[in-house]
Amino acid sequence: MNIPDNVFENPYQEGQYLHFTMNVPTTVNHLIATLQVYRTFVISEDLEMVVSELAEKGGNYEANDLAEIFSIHDVLANFFGHYGDLDIDSVWDDYVKDFTTKITQAEIKEAGMVIFKSYCFRAFKAKSIEEEWGDAVNI
């Protein structure tokens, strides 16, 4: 089968091909630049404070853009098995280790595949929860 370079098979659903449109090099650069303030956001849940903190350090992000970047960090943290406990030092250290080896130090194509697989995993989990719980999830 001839498929474009940005169409990949969903590793969680055989035969399902997904068009991955994320600009991976740009996204990876933003993820790296915001890694430390992502933890600040996880702990404080104060997006405006994080925007100000970044601005003081020379990083210029709009709140909406930063929220989008943090949502990618959320998906990755979940995929790596660390989401929900990132305020605990050891869990945060594990996330940074996984992020560093699988995103920062990886070739850009491999980092892109990790991001792609993390979104597939999120969709798989959401579908599993919906199938198990049905409308009860929408309460």
Side-chain angles (χ1 to χ4, degrees):
M1 172 190 309
N2 267 344
I3 56 174
D5 287 342
N6 62 341
V7 174
F8 304 99
E9 185 169 10
N10 182 344
Y12 298 95
Q13 190 167 348
E14 187 176 337
Q16 180 186 38
Y17 289 84
L18 304 171
H19 187 176
F20 189 53
T21 59
M22 184 179 288
N23 181 330
V24 175
T26 300
T27 300
V28 167
N29 287 336
H30 288 299
L31 289 169
I32 292 168
T34 60
L35 179 62
Q36 291 306 317
V37 293
Y38 170 60
R39 184 168 193 215
T40 302
F41 175 71
V42 167
I43 293 169
S44 70
E45 297 182 5
D46 187 343
L47 189 59
E48 292 303 323
M49 179 186 76
V50 176
V51 169
S52 296
E53 183 179 322
L54 269 173
E56 289 173 10
K57 296 177 181 178
N60 192 11
Y61 287 92
E62 296 292 324
N64 290 342
D65 296 335
L66 199 55
E68 199 170 305
I69 294 165
F70 288 164
S71 74
I72 299 169
H73 273 295
D74 288 346
V75 172
L76 287 169
N78 189 34
F79 182 63
F80 297 154
H82 307 303
Y83 188 76
D85 295 321
L86 292 172
D87 56 333
I88 300 169
D89 289 340
S90 61
V91 176
W92 174 254
D93 292 343
D94 287 343
Y95 175 66
V96 170
K97 178 182 172 194
D98 285 338
F99 180 85
T100 301
T101 58
K102 296 174 183 173
I103 302 295
T104 305
Q105 295 174 345
E107 296 291 326
I108 202 68
K109 185 174 183 177
E110 283 133 18
M113 284 305 297
V114 169
I115 295 169
F116 171 74
K117 288 178 181 179
S118 69
Y119 275 91
C120 291
F121 180 68
R122 180 181 75 167
F124 172 76
K125 283 182 65 174
K127 183 176 180 184
S128 296
I129 290 168
E130 183 179 307
E131 288 173 357
E132 185 173 328
W133 294 94
D135 291 332
V137 174
N138 296 325
I139 295 176

